[in-house]
Amino acid sequence: MILASETYSDRAERLFLSGYNCAQALYGAFAPAVGVEEKEALRLASPFGGGFGRMRQVCGAFSGMTLVVGHLFGYEDLSSPEKDALYPRVQELGKRFEARCNSLICKEILKNKVQVGGTASPRTEEYYKSRPCARVVRAAAEILEQYLKEEGAL
């Protein structure tokens, strides 16, 4: 559900704090901007959380960013000029994300304090205090919103 006064970063952080994973929070926040129902966005992004299925690889917030970029700038026509432009877009966003969050890798962002795999930790006050994830989700949404404005896509 979208609240009228929310920014994309507010919405992404709210989704994360309500229990969605980092990828779901990012992609869900931008779902209206890419013409996707929030429910579908949350479902499609669900495997990307925890650095791809809690494997602590690429940060789910960054993965959520790339899903949005795919919607707005992706290609299906192999002769499309967007084919050659897409990866540099992702690389630029990766540079911005890494500059702000210190890494693209979940376990590095979490400073290796969280195990690979296993079951999800309960979303308690201590959970949110011990992890930078809510701040990372907010930062990712801010980076993406700024980039999309620069590109005239928002």
Side-chain angles (χ1 to χ4, degrees), residues 66-87:
T66 63
L67 287 167
V68 173
V69 169
H71 272 278
L72 296 174
F73 303 107
Y75 63 90
E76 67 280 338
D77 178 355
L78 296 176
S79 64
S80 169
E82 274 303 321
K83 182 177 180 211
D84 292 330
L86 182 63
Y87 288 176

Side-chain angles (χ1 to χ4, degrees), residues 5-49:
S5 63
E6 280 185 313
T7 64
Y8 289 104
S9 56
D10 290 339
R11 191 175 311 143
E13 185 176 40
R14 179 178 53 79
L15 286 169
F16 182 78
L17 293 174
S18 69
Y20 291 103
N21 72 40
C22 42
Q24 289 173 303
L26 218 299
Y27 191 42
F30 284 85
V34 298
V36 174
E37 292 291 327
E38 183 181 89
K39 183 177 176 179
E40 181 181 1
L42 296 171
R43 183 176 46 78
L44 290 172
S46 60
F48 296 96

